[in-house]
Amino acid sequence: MNVLRLAKENFIGFSKYLKDTFLRHILWYFTLAALFFKCIILIGFNMNRTHLIFSFRTSLSTTFPNTIFFLSFIILFLSFAFLLSGKLRLMYLIVINLVFSFLFLVDLWYYRGFGTMPVLQIIKQTANLNNMSQGILSVMHLIDAVLLLDFPLILVYWIMNRNLCRGFVRNGLLFALTFIIPLGVITYIPLKTDLLEKNWVDPNFINTSYSPIGYHIYSIYSFWKDSKPVQLSKTESDYIRKWFKDKFENLPDNKYKGMFKGKNLIHIDIESMENFVIGRTVNGQEITPNLNRLLKNSLYFASTYEQVNQGNSSDADFMVNTSVYPLRQNSVFYAYPDNTYPGSTPRLLEKLGYNTLALHPDEGTFWNWMPNLTAIGFQQRIGAEAWDMDDTFFLGISDSSFFRQAEPYIARLKQPFYAFMPTQSSHSPFDIPEKYRYMKLDESMANMTLGLYFQSMYYADKCIGEMISYLERDGLLDNTVVVFCGDHSGITRYHPGEAAKVQPAQDWWLVGDKRQIPFIIYQKNISGEKFDINAAQVDILPTIAYIMGVDQKDYEYTAMGRNLLNTKKNFAVLVDGKYVGDASSEEQKEHDIQGLEIADTIVKSNYFKLHE
């Protein structure tokens, strides 16, 4: 009987010990579970096309095989709580939960805007926050609060258990166990996968395979790795040159060669304009009446894909002037502002006696455009500091005021000239002032995102018509080529799924993820032609160079795109590696996609500087 009594007392004592231990560490377990489920929720948001609904089941099934990695990264950070006692442990667990919860919110908002996870280098982009409050608010939604729902529970638990902190004592053994074991699991990742040795890994792959926390640790490593200058061996340099050589088509020249030689060139990148609005009407109103009219005297490439990445509009500025793919991770304009590009549009035309000018609606620090366009080769650069802010909304000066004030600078240029002009008024969230909403839309559409997008595109087009009128008035239009491009997609990029909310829906605005932009080359005295070839932004420079009479030898080893007016190829490589169109062989397709990695190496090593 004594033995049974003793066993019973020991069992009760052990049970009480386990219960006390569990209660003592319940907040630790709760934080672990909360952060794990927040990782799953974040991935669930990202896996949904609209990023507004999270599919918990789909996300969990996708990430379940990697649960050990998810838990290991979280436990590693939580292990330090065992080195603290009393209120310090409580504060540490709450703070670490808050920090990661806020980081997950930033991840989600960034993903909605750019379709990928943020990189550490965005801390350099604080200048971009100027006048961006509307844009930031547009990616925030009430449902995001699901990532913060655990904090009220923690507060209630704390109120009900005010003496909780007294049970928090330092425990070196638990710290060692919860630090060393997860660290071993995490160390296994690069040893097994060679992850850290690869030049580039898809951020979304790391996010779903090793957790959002693991992604950010990898991002820190990538930041450190990219901070070191890339030194190319002769073999690597030769490989890049061979890639360019293998791209040659060696076709005989045709009627488009030099067709605009000696004429002025103006390139206007239109903020967020997608190709699907061109030629379309709503309630009997043309969305882009001026561009529709100009198509009668234009070379129009109707299947041109955007290729911008984390640099967004700055990537567009970069590509159309260099024909080099943007970095797959990070922004070229922030990470490598002083690189050399001898085959850039301004440098190619300067060789032909052109005066070059970049006119920008933003301050020079916005996306760091001033030093980059200087390095790319523009002789003159004029930004927001020169403009009279007599009409502003959202990001700054309106397109109408920008064109009106920029045109005199262009008129004073010695001919021939090249002027580059990006616009900004039609940026997401497309909430332009009422006085500029010229289209008459039904109530079912007027205040919907799609309706606001149509209003923004109509306004942008109206300003383009004003610019053409200025050039006509000053006698420049007859001797000038005007190129119009969308810098990147708009509603498709920033508000996927919003177009489908307008009913009855029309097929032409349900554009899905095609992300096509207009590419139009206008010259008053030619007859219009439409080309349905698959194209992309890197193809813009070689195409323009061809019609402007630039010798192909000056850009054949620097332009990664192809001349759309003299090619037998029909493809576009998107920045996520997707191949659109037709390839003559698997080898050709692999070569084309390899250009993304080649571009990373070119930019990071300042390859063209080494081979001038």
Side-chain angles (χ1 to χ4, degrees):
M1 293 294 293
N2 290 335
V3 174
L4 290 174
R5 186 184 305 111
L6 182 62
K8 182 178 181 180
E9 290 175 353
N10 287 337
F11 177 77
I12 293 173
F14 184 68
S15 298
K16 186 176 184 301
Y17 170 77
L18 288 178
K19 179 180 179 181
D20 291 343
T21 301
F22 177 78
L23 291 175
R24 193 181 312 123
H25 300 312
I26 189 171
L27 187 58
W28 192 92
Y29 300 133
F30 180 84
T31 306
L32 171 63
L35 288 176
F36 174 75
F37 284 110
K38 287 178 185 182
C39 288
I40 303 303
I41 289 170
L42 173 63
I43 292 172
F45 272 121
N46 293 350
M47 291 178 70
N48 182 268
R49 190 173 69 85
T50 67
H51 315 311
L52 296 175
I53 301 172
F54 65 91
S55 175
F56 190 82
R57 178 181 297 180
T58 303
S59 175
L60 188 60
S61 63
T62 301
T63 58
F64 179 76
N66 305 305
T67 300
I68 188 172
F69 298 133
F70 279 62
L71 293 176
S72 294
F73 280 108
I74 299 170
I75 293 172
L76 187 69
F77 282 94
L78 296 186
S79 66
F80 294 96
F82 293 119
L83 296 177
L84 303 172
S85 61
K87 290 184 178 179
L88 287 178
R89 181 183 296 183
L90 175 67
M91 294 303 298
Y92 177 80
L93 291 173
I94 292 175
V95 168
I96 202 73
N97 193 352
L98 274 172
V99 168
F100 281 122
S101 297
F102 177 74
L103 184 62
F104 295 161
L105 283 171
V106 172
D107 289 343
L108 175 58
W109 298 334
Y110 194 90
Y111 205 101
R112 284 188 182 132
F114 300 99
T116 188
M117 295 288 284
V119 293
L120 187 63
Q121 289 89 336
I122 65 171
I123 61 175
K124 296 181 180 180
Q125 301 176 19
T126 53
N128 290 0
L129 297 178
N130 296 337
N131 303 318
M132 283 292 291
S133 58
Q134 282 182 270
I136 295 172
L137 289 174
S138 73
V139 297
M140 298 180 179
H141 296 273
L142 185 60
I143 194 173
D144 303 346
V146 69
L147 292 170
L148 303 174
L149 289 181
D150 55 320
F151 290 102
L153 297 177
I154 295 173
L155 179 62
V156 170
Y157 184 80
W158 167 245
I159 293 173
M160 295 176 64
N161 299 272
R162 292 182 179 276
N163 297 323
L164 179 67
C165 293
R166 294 179 182 176
F168 293 162
V169 295
R170 295 184 183 90
N171 192 321
L173 178 61
L174 280 178
F175 165 73
L177 290 173
T178 55
F179 181 82
I180 294 174
I181 295 176
L183 185 61
V185 173
I186 293 169
T187 305
Y188 167 85
I189 296 172
L191 292 177
K192 183 68 175 177
T193 64
D194 295 327
L195 182 69
L196 303 184
E197 304 303 319
K198 297 178 180 179
N199 290 328
W200 180 80
V201 182
D202 185 352
N204 300 327
F205 167 77
I206 300 176
N207 188 41
T208 55
S209 298
Y210 305 119
S211 85
I213 296 175
Y215 166 76
H216 285 288
I217 293 176
Y218 174 79
S219 178
I220 292 172
Y221 169 79
S222 296
F223 180 82
W224 170 79
K225 184 179 179 182
D226 289 344
S227 67
K228 299 187 297 183
V230 174
Q231 302 293 333
L232 293 184
S233 66
K234 185 177 185 302
T235 300
E236 291 171 319
S237 294
D238 290 345
Y239 179 78
I240 293 175
R241 187 169 179 82
K242 183 178 184 301
W243 184 90
F244 279 104
K245 186 175 182 179
D246 291 344
K247 185 174 67 69
F248 297 168
E249 293 189 73
N250 298 316
L251 301 174
D253 288 331
N254 56 34
K255 65 178 182 178
Y256 302 104
K257 172 67 174 178
M259 66 183 297
F260 299 137
K261 186 174 183 178
K263 291 189 180 298
N264 306 313
L265 174 65
I266 298 175
H267 185 127
I268 299 176
D269 258 5
I270 310 165
E271 175 64 49
S272 299
M273 179 169 280
E274 297 189 50
N275 190 66
F276 78 91
V277 299
I278 303 295
R280 295 295 184 176
T281 62
V282 177
N283 291 349
Q285 305 159 93
E286 292 180 280
I287 302 173
T288 56
N290 288 295
L291 286 176
N292 296 346
R293 172 174 56 84
L294 297 180
L295 288 180
K296 298 174 182 177
N297 306 99
S298 299
L299 306 178
Y300 173 35
F301 300 89
S303 299
T304 302
Y305 287 83
E306 71 162 5
Q307 293 172 310
V308 303
N309 206 359
Q310 293 178 343
N312 216 28
S313 296
S314 70
D315 281 349
D317 294 355
F318 174 72
M319 274 186 288
V320 299
N321 281 296
T322 65
S323 188
V324 175
Y325 291 108
L327 292 173
R328 290 173 293 175
Q329 184 167 308
N330 205 349
S331 159
V332 176
F333 272 27
Y334 272 103
Y336 303 94
D338 302 317
N339 276 11
T340 298
Y341 303 96
S344 69
T345 306
R347 293 195 190 282
L348 291 173
L349 292 177
E350 184 179 359
K351 287 183 179 180
L352 298 180
Y354 278 66
N355 294 286
T356 62
L357 168 66
L359 298 137
H360 213 287
D362 299 305
E363 295 179 358
T365 55
F366 190 77
W367 281 109
N368 209 28
W369 71 262
M370 180 70 80
N372 281 273
L373 294 189
T374 301
I376 283 174
F378 284 96
Q379 298 163 337
Q380 301 179 62
R381 288 81 47 199
I382 300 173
E385 296 80 4
W387 312 130
D388 177 6
M389 296 296 174
D390 56 354
D391 184 29
T392 62
F393 61 87
F394 188 28
L395 290 178
I397 190 169
S398 69
D399 287 355
S400 181
S401 181
F402 173 54
F403 284 140
R404 173 170 45 80
Q405 296 185 60
E407 197 277 335
Y409 285 95
I410 295 175
R412 289 195 293 267
L413 283 173
K414 182 180 178 181
Q415 301 187 47
F417 59 74
Y418 167 45
F420 176 70
M421 307 174 66
T423 70
Q424 67 176 13
S425 293
S426 48
H427 196 287
S428 173
F430 318 121
D431 191 15
I432 66 175
E434 287 285 347
K435 65 179 180 179
Y436 295 132
R437 299 181 187 181
Y438 299 111
M439 298 187 74
K440 295 179 180 179
L441 302 178
D442 296 336
E443 290 185 9
S444 61
M445 180 185 291
N447 294 314
M448 301 290 282
T449 302
L450 182 63
L452 295 175
Y453 183 68
F454 289 158
Q455 294 282 16
S456 297
M457 293 303 103
Y458 187 94
Y459 172 76
D461 179 84
K462 182 177 183 297
C463 296
I464 287 170
E466 293 171 359
M467 184 64 184
I468 294 296
S469 296
Y470 299 147
L471 297 173
E472 183 79 78
R473 178 195 64 194
D474 291 336
L476 292 173
L477 204 56
D478 280 320
N479 196 42
T480 299
V481 178
V482 187
V483 174
F484 300 100
C485 300
D487 65 342
H488 52 69
S489 56
I491 189 170
T492 303
R493 165 179 283 263
Y494 295 108
H495 307 278
E498 286 295 310
K501 292 181 180 180
V502 177
Q503 296 296 326
Q506 307 231 1
D507 290 342
W508 61 268
W509 70 53
L510 299 178
V511 292
D513 282 327
K514 294 180 71 174
R515 294 192 175 183
Q516 291 181 344
I517 57 173
F519 172 28
I520 300 167
I521 303 174
Y522 167 75
Q523 213 296 311
K524 179 181 177 181
N525 300 312
I526 67 169
S527 297
E529 294 182 69
K530 182 179 179 181
F531 303 84
D532 291 319
I533 183 174
N534 286 306
Q537 285 170 298
V538 292
D539 300 324
I540 291 173
L541 182 151
T543 303
I544 292 175
Y546 191 70
I547 60 177
M548 299 304 292
V550 177
D551 192 330
Q552 184 177 331
K553 293 180 180 179
D554 289 339
Y555 60 88
E556 61 186 359
Y557 281 100
T558 61
M560 304 193 77
R562 70 192 192 282
N563 169 17
L564 299 175
L565 292 168
N566 193 15
T567 180
K568 291 184 177 180
K569 298 179 180 179
N570 182 28
F571 75 94
V573 176
L574 309 188
V575 290
D576 60 0
K578 181 180 179 181
Y579 194 91
V580 179
D582 307 312
S584 59
S585 64
E586 282 301 314
E587 291 77 13
Q588 182 62 52
K589 181 177 179 179
E590 182 179 346
H591 170 272
D592 297 333
I593 296 175
Q594 187 70 21
L596 297 173
E597 183 176 342
I598 295 289
D600 277 359
T601 304
I602 286 173
V603 173
K604 291 178 180 180
S605 67
N606 201 2
Y607 170 82
F608 296 131
K609 175 67 174 178
L610 301 174
H611 296 80
E612 275 189 298

